[in-house]
Every structure is written in C-alpha cells, then in structure tokens.
Amino acid sequence: MTSPISTEVRDGILIVTSNNPPVNALGAAVRQGLAAALDQLESDNELKAAVIRCEGRTFFAGADITEFGKPMVEPVLPQLIERLENSKKPIVAAIHGTALGGGLETALGCHYRVAVPSAKLGVPEVKLGLLPGGGGTQRLPRVAGIETAAEMCATGNPISAKKAAEVGLVDKVAGEDTLLEDALAFATGMIGTEPRRSGEMPVHGDPAFIQKFATENARKFRGFDAPAANLRCVQAAVELSLKEGLAFERQEFMKLMMGTQSAAQRHIFFAERQAAKIDGIADDIKLRDVKKVGVIGAGTMGGGISMNFLQAGIPVTIVEAAQENLDRGVGVIRKNYDASAAKGRFKPEQVDQMMGLLAPTLKVEDLADCDLIIEAIFENMDVKKEMFGKLDKIAKPGAILASNTSYLDINAIASVTSRPQDVLGMHFFSPANVMKLLEVVRGAKTADDVLATAMAIAKKIGKVAVVAGVCDGFIGNRMLKPRQLEAMNLLMEGATPQQIDKVHVDFGMPMGPFQMSDLAGVDIGWHRDPARIESVRDALCAVGRWGQKTGKGFYDYDEKRRPTPSTEVQAIIDDFAAKAGKTKRAISDEEIVERTLYTMVNEGALILEEGVAQRASDVDVVWIYGYGWPVYRGGPMFWADIEGNDKIAAGLEKHGFKVAKLLKEKAESKGRFTRPV
Ligand code: T1G
C-alpha cells in the first residue's frame, strides 16, 4: 500500500506532503511516513530544512480517532513530535484548513508555523472528553502564553490564523494561494540557524488566569472531567519542566482515555456523523435544488425556522394570515439578529443582507416558486390538512412540502395531497434558530431524493438531522412522554417537583421535567376550560399557573425567573393524591432514575424495534442535541449500555413495567445497543 506521505526536494528543502483524505488524520501510516521523511532529512546532508504540508482540504486534523482503543502502532504521536522538535534542521509547518488536536501538536513540534488567513488552529480534544496528548498542553503555554493555552485547551474552540499570529502560535500569515511558496521562503530564511524549539521556550503569561478561567466557566464545565484535567496540565506547564510536564500530561491523558466520559463523547462524535447517513439510499443520490424556501407561519417556530435559511443565504418567503402577526414575526426576526449583532456574531450589514432575503406576504399563493415549503402553523391535524390541500394546488411540481409538526401523523397529512412522495416532516426544536436538532420525518411514501434533500439542506443550515419514522412524537417526544408521565405519578406518591428535577439536574440534564414544563408552558395541550379539573395540570392551569410566562407554574418565579417551590402547588398535588387514595411515602432518588430514565431507554428500545429510528446512536443524537442530555453520558442508549441493560431491565420489572423485547434481549445476552468506541 502506498504511503500517504510523499517527499520532494526543492532547493535543498525537503517538502513532506501528506495525502490522507478526508482530513489527513494522523493514522499509523501517516506517522510512519513522517518518521521516514525525518530519517531522510537527517541523513541527507544536501537537505538544509523541511516544510511539512498536507494535500486536500486541511492540514492534519488530529490523531486518527478510529485508532483509539486499539493497540498502539509505532511511532506514537508524542514520540514523532519530539523527533520533529529535536531535529537539527529547521522544519516549517504549512497550515491550511483546520490544524486540530494532534495536527496542531505536530505543528508545535515543528520549529515554525506558516498559515493561510482562512486557517483555524485548535485543540478540540476536550470535546472528545480528552486533552491534547501530544504535548499540546505543555507547548501552547510556551508558544502562545498561558491565557491562550488555557482557553484553547479547556474549551476546544479553535482560533483564527490572525489571532494565532498575534499570540505567536503562527510565525507568518501566508497568501491564501501561496502557502507552499511562502513556507519555502520562510524555511530558506531559517537555513543555518539554530531551530527555535517550542519546548525550550519559556512559559509566559499570568498563571492566576487558569483558576480564574475555571471559576468563570464552572457552570459550562459542570459534570465534565476533561476541562479541569486540561487546566491541570496547563498549570503543570507553569510548575514543572517540559519533561515532567509531558509525563504529567500523559498520565492525565490516559486517565481520560480510559474513562467513560471520553468514550461517550467519542461515541457522539461518530454518532452525529452517522446520523446524516440514510440506510438503503446511495450517498450520491441526485438531490433536488433548494434555491428558495417558503415558511408558513411567522410565530416563534416559523420565525426561528426562517432565520436558519436566511443565515445560510437562502431566500425565504414567509406567510402569515394577518398583517399584524406578519409584522410582529418579521420584527422578532430582526430583533433577534440585532441582538446577535450586538454580541458580535453578525456585522450590521450582514443583518441587512439577511433581512433582504426575507419576503413577507399574506398570500400563500406567493409560495408558488418555492422549492421547499415548511408549514409551521397551529398544531392541529385539520388545520394542517387544510393547508396541505391548498399547497398541493399552489406549489410547483417537485417542490418539497414539509410540516414542522412535533408529533402528528405525516402520512395523514400527505394523504390530502396528490404528491405524498414530496411530503415529509421537518421537526425543528424551539428556539428553532438555536437548537441544533432537526428530526426529518419520513412518510410511508416520501421519495428517497426528497428525504436525502431534506437531510442535505439540514446540514447546510447547520442542523444535526436525524431520520425518524412516523409515530406519535417521532423519537425525542415519544421518549419524553413516559418520562413526564412517570414524573407526574411520582408526585402522587410523595416525591416533590424539586426532588425529581434535582435528580435530573444532578444527572447532568440542563433542567428537570417540571422546570422544562414551566419553560415550555404547562398549558400546552390544555383544554382551556378552568372548570374542568381532571389532573394536577388542569388544576395548575385553572389558577393561571401556566409556567414561566405567567410567573408561576410548578414553581413560583421572581423577576429574574428564579424558581422557588410553591406551597400552593404542593397543596394541589396533595389534594389530588388524597382523592386518588395514594399515601405519601419517601421516594429514593434511585427510584426516580429507574422510573423516569429507565423508562426512556425502554421507549428507545421500542423505537428501534419498530424501525422508527435507524440506529441506537441516532436516538442518542436526538437526546443530546434536542434536549441537552449530558454529552459525557453519551445519550440514553449508550448510557444504558454503560449502566448495564440487565440492570435497566431488572429496574423496570421491579416497578411493573413491561420490558421491550429488544431490551430484554440485550439484558439476557449482556449485549449493547451501541458500538463500543
Ligand atoms: N480521526 C478520524 N476520522 C476523522 C477525524 C479524526 N480526527 N476527524 C474527522 N474524521 C472523519 C469523520 O468521521 C468523517 O468521516 C470525515 O472525517 C469528515 O469529517 C493526540 C488525541 C476536521 C473540522 O477532534 O472536528 O488529536 O463520516 O464530517 O464537517 O492530542 O471532522 O465521512 O466517514 O466532520 O468538514 C482531535 C475532529 C482528535 C477533530 C472537519 N481532532 N474532526 O469537519 O467533516 S484527538 C479532532 C472535526 C487528538 C491528540 C489527540 C471535523 C473537521 P465520514 P466531518 P467536516
């Protein structure tokens, strides 16, 4: 097999090129090729310096994550990086694309770095539950300073070539199209000089920044092991020699690598990419063109949905029934963009440009030239059927007709059109311009190219899309149902809203079932008749406890929307429990987990049995990106594998639940839903 590494000599400079698509990951063959190139550099006296570069879309984007958990193959990356650094002849890294993780560490092993303006440099290992294991935590504080090192390592966010040049991480910003020439010129200028070794440079910056940064980001880092480990390594760079610091980093790296959090986060890294693939449909299927989008409804969802397309430069025609609602909807879009611009996310002229792509109208006929029409109107089947009947007459042939329904039957909606093959669901999560998850709901008659086009457009607008089959609630909301139901049942038996929510927040969820209900609105789906009180929810709604929007729901809220438990709510719960003949008892946190989280896993197993989700990792992606399931627990199905499916099944049986067939099978065979990483 030919090596992904090739070399050529130009004016005494060895040009070392990696060609290892798709991202020049530093797999064994690449490392071996680089080692061979170093042998050549060292042994040939005609060679005075070297430039290391990559073909394709990017410089090395990191170690090869698919090698993790497998026997290491020499040379391991830290060894290779030390060889680079100890070379007696200057070596220049020529960077384009994204120099990430082990890729940036390899560049740090080189003596100098030249990058194009569009390049990004980062150490995203923390997002995989890891830390830079190739010396990054020790060399970055020496090259770029403590502050930049701490931030880059603990957040995993990349920096631009410009910023990198400002902090000394890049020595020269090359022309966008003259990277090799500029790198060769830089190398030529270094011939005969003693190479500057990152590891020999003094650590500089303010060590106090490390703790300050940790404190400022405590909320964001809550529950994660890796950010603190990264900061400990940067601290070690301050206190120890390079050799000792590298040893400390290796020790901390191995601890993370062997932990479940990194396994979970690597699982999600691959799961997110796998979700984009549709089993049984060729990757190169011809997609339909989507040059213009129509959105029906300018409310919270319609407005948020529109923003996604405008940000991607796709014109949107937005339709409302009444001028007042249309004006309000357009105003909210503008206000949201202005708020983002105020935070530096957009330039003012970009906001004007995006708003210029928005065409508000009261006439649904104006959607006739749209390639994709997304309906985001009232969540009622009759209303949706009527609208799709109209669209069937208005929309051009081949237009994709999508409903943003969060649980209604796409097949029923499609049945009122003459083109069910062009109909599917595109279920955005609120706020639609923020939440990354998009459930793409495949109807029985949805054409393959329609489904593939929806998945492709989802990626284009920055969404993480998951294919779902038709059922009540698709994947996410269907699993939410048993969780909410059991949470209410637990209230009747003596648990309190705050106890149940605390169990979920301690687990790592952003909020618990009742905090979520208050945020979304306790009154969602309420029959609106205050005289008709058949449940705790009815009782709360009847007294105006509709959630945060009315200042009270399951909790009371102050002006800053901070929740406090409510004695009125507890009295309503107790009254209902008494009427239902329930006697209050102390309920353990473990029982709350079993009845609200194990039941979700059970529903996930049913979803897989019915083929509503393509794969278990898709279910995990839905819960990570749609509901904030802690990524360091890998999603409900991965978490079940770690908990043990036998323990999950036993816990469900203990509380009288019927265990799904697939879960029972996993329990009996000690099998997993997800592939080990
Ligand atoms: N290893 C193996 N495969 C990788 C990979 C990697 N590092 N990065 C991407 N891929 C695959 C990915 O699975 C997909 O495969 C294809 O490449 C395109 O990726 C010792 C230990 C570089 C910004 O964390 O952030 O170095 O689905 O769809 O949107 O300190 O990929 O096509 O079969 O994401 O253009 C650190 C991870 C590793 C970078 C490109 N590096 N990658 O984004 O394409 S740990 C990272 C990314 C490490 C050292 C440590 C992105 C990207 P498939 P893609 P993209």
Side-chain angles (χ1 to χ4, degrees), residues 479-488 504 509 511-514 516 595-597 599-600 623:
M479 291 170 70
L480 191 61
K481 225 168 174 177
R483 187 190 85 164
Q484 300 302 94
L485 183 65
E486 273 311 296
M488 289 304 285
H504 282 243
M509 298 298 287
M511 61 186 82
F514 300 104
M516 182 176 175
R595 289 177 55 180
T596 58
L597 294 179
T599 43
M600 283 174 56
W623 271 84

Side-chain angles (χ1 to χ4, degrees), residues 514-522 546-549 553-555 557:
F514 300 104
Q515 292 160 321
M516 182 176 175
S517 187
D518 278 358
L519 178 67
V522 182
W546 293 7
Q548 285 191 23
K549 60 189 171 187
F554 281 95
Y555 296 91
Y557 292 90

Side-chain angles (χ1 to χ4, degrees), residues 624-638:
I624 298 280
Y625 289 104
Y627 302 84
W629 181 283
V631 69
Y632 56 80
R633 291 186 188 272
M637 310 319 282
F638 179 93

Side-chain angles (χ1 to χ4, degrees), residues 21-26 57-68 77-78 81 98 100-105 122-128 130-136 249-250 253 257 266 269-270 272-274 277 459:
V23 297
N24 283 300
L26 284 149
R57 58 171 148 165
T58 181
F59 189 76
F60 306 115
D64 185 337
I65 314 176
T66 62
E67 284 184 349
F68 291 174
L77 196 56
I81 291 168
T98 50
L100 298 176
L104 179 55
E105 292 174 297
V123 278
E125 286 87 338
V126 69
K127 294 180 180 176
L128 298 173
L130 296 170
L131 55 83
E249 177 192 86
R250 192 84 205 142
F253 176 82
M257 175 63 90
R266 296 196 314 272
F269 175 85
F270 288 116
E272 179 186 333
R273 287 153 180 82
Q274 186 69 11
K277 297 177 169 65
K459 181 165 183 165

Side-chain angles (χ1 to χ4, degrees), residues 243-502:
K243 190 169 180 322
E244 292 163 332
L246 287 173
F248 182 81
E249 177 192 86
R250 192 84 205 142
Q251 184 188 324
E252 289 289 318
F253 176 82
M254 290 316 292
K255 268 195 282 185
L256 291 175
M257 175 63 90
M258 306 315 284
T260 50
Q261 286 203 1
S262 178
Q265 291 175 247
R266 296 196 314 272
H267 162 69
I268 291 302
F269 175 85
F270 288 116
E272 179 186 333
R273 287 153 180 82
Q274 186 69 11
K277 297 177 169 65
I278 312 165
D279 294 345
I281 296 184
D283 285 349
D284 60 355
I285 188 171
K286 183 162 177 9
L287 304 178
R288 296 192 187 179
D289 265 347
V290 177
K291 292 193 172 57
K292 195 169 184 185
V293 170
V295 174
I296 308 172
T300 309
M301 291 309 286
I305 291 169
S306 301
M307 291 177 71
N308 293 307
F309 292 96
L310 298 173
Q311 274 154 234
I314 300 173
V316 173
T317 301
I318 187 166
V319 180
E320 251 299 345
Q323 189 63 48
E324 180 201 350
N325 296 342
L326 184 61
D327 294 345
R328 185 185 324 113
V330 172
V332 168
I333 293 172
R334 173 94 225 191
K335 186 166 71 65
N336 286 341
Y337 279 145
D338 286 342
S340 298
K343 290 181 204 143
R345 203 171 146 219
F346 298 118
K347 295 190 181 74
E349 55 272 23
Q350 281 178 299
V351 173
D352 293 337
Q353 194 183 23
M354 291 186 292
M355 293 307 291
L357 292 173
L358 184 65
T361 177
L362 297 175
K363 293 192 298 182
V364 70
E365 291 73 18
D366 288 346
L367 301 181
D369 63 344
C370 291
D371 305 297
L372 164 64
I373 299 170
I374 302 172
E375 161 273 315
I377 58 180
F378 187 57
E379 194 72 344
N380 171 282
M381 182 57 86
D382 294 338
V383 170
K384 291 189 188 297
K385 280 185 171 179
E386 185 193 357
M387 177 54 73
F388 273 77
K390 277 186 198 160
L391 290 178
D392 195 29
K393 295 181 182 58
I394 294 162
K396 71 181 184 182
I400 295 174
L401 310 180
S403 170
N404 172 56
T405 180
S406 56
Y407 67 96
L408 293 175
D409 183 341
I410 292 295
N411 296 326
I413 292 172
S415 69
V416 303
T417 72
S418 62
R419 51 175 113 179
Q421 71 282 359
D422 296 340
V423 178
L424 46 55
M426 289 180 79
H427 175 215
F428 290 82
F429 282 68
S430 185
N433 54 309
V434 173
M435 295 301 283
K436 285 183 75 77
L437 179 66
L438 177 63
E439 283 181 325
V440 178
V441 187
R442 181 183 209 169
K445 295 182 179 160
T446 301
D448 287 354
D449 67 326
V450 167
L451 181 63
T453 302
M455 294 296 281
I457 200 78
K459 181 165 183 165
K460 187 167 184 180
I461 62 174
K463 295 300 179 188
V464 176
V466 176
V467 176
V470 173
C471 70
D472 184 343
F474 314 132
I475 297 172
N477 286 345
R478 174 163 162 186
M479 291 170 70
L480 191 61
K481 225 168 174 177
R483 187 190 85 164
Q484 300 302 94
L485 183 65
E486 273 311 296
M488 289 304 285
N489 290 341
L490 283 157
L491 288 188
M492 294 292 104
E493 297 171 37
T496 63
Q498 51 275 24
Q499 179 193 4
I500 294 168
D501 284 347
K502 184 176 183 309

Side-chain angles (χ1 to χ4, degrees), residues 219-243:
R219 186 179 167 78
K220 187 171 140 196
F221 295 158
R222 178 175 75 94
F224 288 91
D225 295 338
N230 273 274
L231 293 174
R232 281 197 297 275
C233 289
V234 173
Q235 185 65 37
V238 174
E239 295 165 354
L240 307 174
S241 69
L242 177 67
K243 190 169 180 322

